[in-house]
Amino acid sequence: MRSYGFLARGLAAASLTVCSAACTITPRDGPIASTVRSSADVTIEPAPEALSFALVSLSPSSLSIANRTTVGATPAFRSLVNRSGGSQGRIAVGDVLAITVFEAQSGGLFIPSDSGSRSGNFVQVPNQQVDASGMVSVPYAGSIRVAGRTADQVGKEIAQLLAKRAIEPQVIVTQVERHGNDISVLGDVNLATRFSLDPGGMRLLGAIARAGGPRSPAYETLITVQRGGRTEQALMTSLVKNPSQNIQLAAGDAVYLSREPKIFMTLGATLPPGSVGGINNRRFPFDNDNMTLAEAIAKSGGLDDARADPTAVFVYRMESRRTLSEMGVDTTRYASDLVPTVYTVNLAQADGLFLSSSFFMRNKDIIYVSTSQSTEVNKFFGMVRSTTAPFYDVSVGAATVR
């Protein structure tokens, strides 16, 4: 009897010694928390006051106001809409022009009296490139400013200048090569390109088509247009759904496409990472430009039946003061235009499912599913069982030996 008790105490002491040694020599990824805290020269403790936030229960009215703000926050062109390019078809510095002069009959300035010596009643002036000052030279008409003007305007001026010397002249000016009215399309496209603006103008979707189209889905493609030192942005889906967003381009515009995926995160009592389609994280991308809360929960695997509290599903986001004020929330205590906000919905009720299927998610929203109280109780009893079981096994074993 005594020998067995002595042996048990010896084994316990040996176990403590081995555990202490193992805790010392076991490899770690880095220093433990106590080491970091004790090594700091200066420690800044958390602020005593808690972060203030607004808690809003989803209802038909609050959902409508929140969704209106979500849709309104979608990038879209504003100042560029309903504006003409302003320079389509106009001559620019660097363009190459072909000038053809027609006369009504022979014996004029360009056509000899003996019409049999040549065919036609016109003469082709050698092609000229518009110089840095925006000028070209025409025989007997002199230097003419052409930059910023249309080919038709230049042709009429040349005809007027030649009218006193040529017989009823008519002039046709053609832009053989365009170098000054370039449009650049680059970024997340299949073939970055630079081309001259057509005389009839070009819209944004046509320019993107010339670049081979976007490589990413439309709901993840952000279009940036740079014009005159200013930039505006729009989502690709905005161009497809709203024809007014398919703006007219201007000479010198730079169009840049970038992939800007929207994501949301799920925390709490949802399925563990890796259990949904092999995705080993809790960060999920949107499947379209407007994803609802129900779709987001379904994409992340849904609620964990063994742990989740369906009456306590929360969405964390930064909401505008104006939106909260429309909902009737007192925002006087908040100084910033963006207020930490938590939306809550009860999925244990039928209307909660309808509300969640209409509530639009935003980029970087956090979905948190609270753990049910019964789960916490089960955890406690599980810890008690795991702690007392070894003692029970030892006592049973000792009784058996006796």
Side-chain angles (χ1 to χ4, degrees), residues 56-214:
V56 180
S57 296
L58 277 186
S59 64
S61 60
S62 63
L63 180 145
S64 176
I65 296 172
N67 281 352
R68 186 166 62 248
T69 303
T70 301
V71 174
T74 302
F77 298 124
R78 286 171 173 80
S79 65
L80 298 180
V81 176
N82 297 328
R83 285 192 180 184
S84 63
S87 62
Q88 52 268 55
R90 296 186 179 272
I91 301 169
V93 173
D95 288 356
V96 177
L97 303 183
I99 302 174
T100 306
V101 181
F102 292 81
E103 287 191 277
Q105 61 185 23
S106 60
L109 180 62
F110 295 101
I111 302 176
S113 300
D114 185 7
S115 59
S117 62
R118 52 159 296 169
S119 60
N121 61 335
F122 65 90
V123 62
Q124 180 75 44
V125 178
N127 292 351
Q128 295 185 66
Q129 187 171 35
V130 181
D131 61 23
S133 60
M135 310 286 287
V136 294
S137 295
V138 179
Y140 304 105
S143 296
I144 300 174
R145 180 173 297 277
V146 297
R149 306 172 65 186
T150 65
D152 183 62
Q153 291 172 342
V154 173
K156 289 180 179 179
E157 182 179 354
I158 296 174
Q160 291 176 358
L161 294 174
L162 297 175
K164 295 181 180 180
R165 307 187 66 174
I167 301 175
E168 299 180 15
Q170 294 186 16
V171 180
I172 296 178
V173 178
T174 306
Q175 294 172 262
V176 179
E177 298 180 16
R178 302 183 183 93
H179 299 287
N181 290 329
D182 285 347
I183 301 293
S184 300
V185 184
L186 61 161
D188 191 35
V189 292
N190 288 297
L191 181 63
T193 185
R194 182 180 181 185
F195 57 90
S196 296
L197 188 65
D198 293 337
M202 175 168 288
R203 294 192 176 272
L204 182 54
L205 283 178
I208 295 174
R210 280 202 178 187

Side-chain angles (χ1 to χ4, degrees), residues 52-56 315-320 324 339-343:
S52 177
F53 64 90
L55 181 64
V56 180
V315 177
Y316 288 71
R317 71 168 51 151
M318 299 297 290
E319 190 62 89
S320 69
L324 293 176
V339 178
T341 305
V342 180
Y343 290 95

Side-chain angles (χ1 to χ4, degrees), residues 223-310:
I223 303 173
T224 301
V225 175
Q226 185 181 80
R227 177 182 299 177
R230 300 181 59 185
T231 59
E232 285 198 23
Q233 294 181 323
L235 203 62
M236 184 73 178
T237 51
S238 298
L239 274 69
V240 177
K241 295 179 179 179
N242 187 357
S244 66
Q245 290 290 301
N246 187 21
I247 60 173
Q248 188 85 3
L249 294 177
D253 280 357
V255 180
Y256 184 84
L257 276 66
S258 59
R259 186 188 180 195
E260 302 286 345
K262 295 191 294 185
I263 59 97
F264 68 91
M265 291 162 281
T266 57
L267 303 174
T270 58
L271 294 184
S275 60
V276 184
I279 302 176
N280 193 26
N281 56 47
R282 293 182 179 272
R283 181 177 181 272
F284 299 90
F286 279 42
D287 287 333
N288 46 55
D289 52 344
N290 286 322
M291 175 175 280
T292 65
L293 174 58
E295 291 174 328
I297 294 175
K299 184 177 178 65
S300 59
L303 277 57
D304 190 340
D305 292 340
R307 299 186 299 124
D309 180 3

Side-chain angles (χ1 to χ4, degrees), residues 328-390:
V329 178
D330 182 9
T331 59
T332 55
R333 70 185 66 185
Y334 303 105
S336 174
D337 290 335
L338 294 178
V339 178
T341 305
V342 180
Y343 290 95
T344 177
V345 61
N346 183 357
L347 294 185
Q349 297 180 353
D351 61 344
L353 294 174
F354 283 112
L355 291 171
S356 65
S357 64
S358 301
F359 182 75
F360 289 154
M361 298 290 292
R362 295 183 195 167
N363 187 28
K364 297 183 180 179
D365 274 355
I366 299 176
I367 301 174
Y368 177 77
V369 181
S370 181
T371 304
S372 64
Q373 294 183 357
S374 60
T375 301
E376 298 299 328
V377 173
N378 292 335
K379 285 183 180 179
F380 173 76
F381 283 113
M383 293 174 60
V384 172
R385 285 194 299 269
S386 63
T387 304
T388 58

